[in-house]
Amino acid sequence: DNYFHNRENTPRDEKGEYDFEALEAMDIELLNDHLNRLLNGEEVEIPKFAFTKGERTWSMALSIRSTRPTANEEAIRPATSLSRTSE
């Protein structure tokens, strides 16, 4: 949830309602950056999504540090390589 775009950048569905299920509702670029940096043992500052305001805040961000990846790097594909197929 913390990687949702701010509400004003959230896509809408055909009824004009916010489409939180759409891949575009997530900040995939930031998520990928954080995953890659964690895999490299770097520290990242994670946003906190405030649902009542519909925006991310950084003032209450959590810093975490990974000294050793918990997953095999080859098993993780960047989320930007995901493709949506239409039926």
Side-chain angles (χ1 to χ4, degrees):
D1 293 346
N2 291 334
Y3 288 90
F4 273 128
H5 280 292
N6 288 342
R7 190 75 31 86
E8 70 267 10
N9 297 322
T10 302
R12 294 181 181 258
D13 63 16
E14 59 279 347
K15 295 178 184 176
E17 298 174 358
Y18 292 113
D19 187 359
F20 298 109
E21 301 299 319
L23 185 60
E24 296 81 10
M26 301 285 294
D27 190 342
I28 300 300
E29 187 175 325
L30 180 63
L31 179 60
N32 264 344
D33 177 60
H34 284 183
L35 289 173
N36 285 324
R37 289 173 53 198
L38 286 169
L39 287 171
N40 288 323
E42 297 176 39
E43 187 173 287
V44 297
E45 190 174 18
I46 299 173
K48 174 75 175 156
F49 190 81
F51 284 95
T52 54
K53 293 182 178 182
E55 62 185 34
R56 289 186 291 201
T57 59
W58 295 91
S59 62
M60 306 245 340
L62 168 69
S63 293
I64 61 173
R65 184 163 179 88
S66 173
T67 58
R68 173 176 59 173
T70 58
N72 186 335
E73 286 185 49
E74 294 175 12
I76 298 177
R77 286 190 223 156
T80 55
S81 69
L82 296 175
S83 61
R84 294 176 62 145
T85 58
S86 57
E87 296 180 27

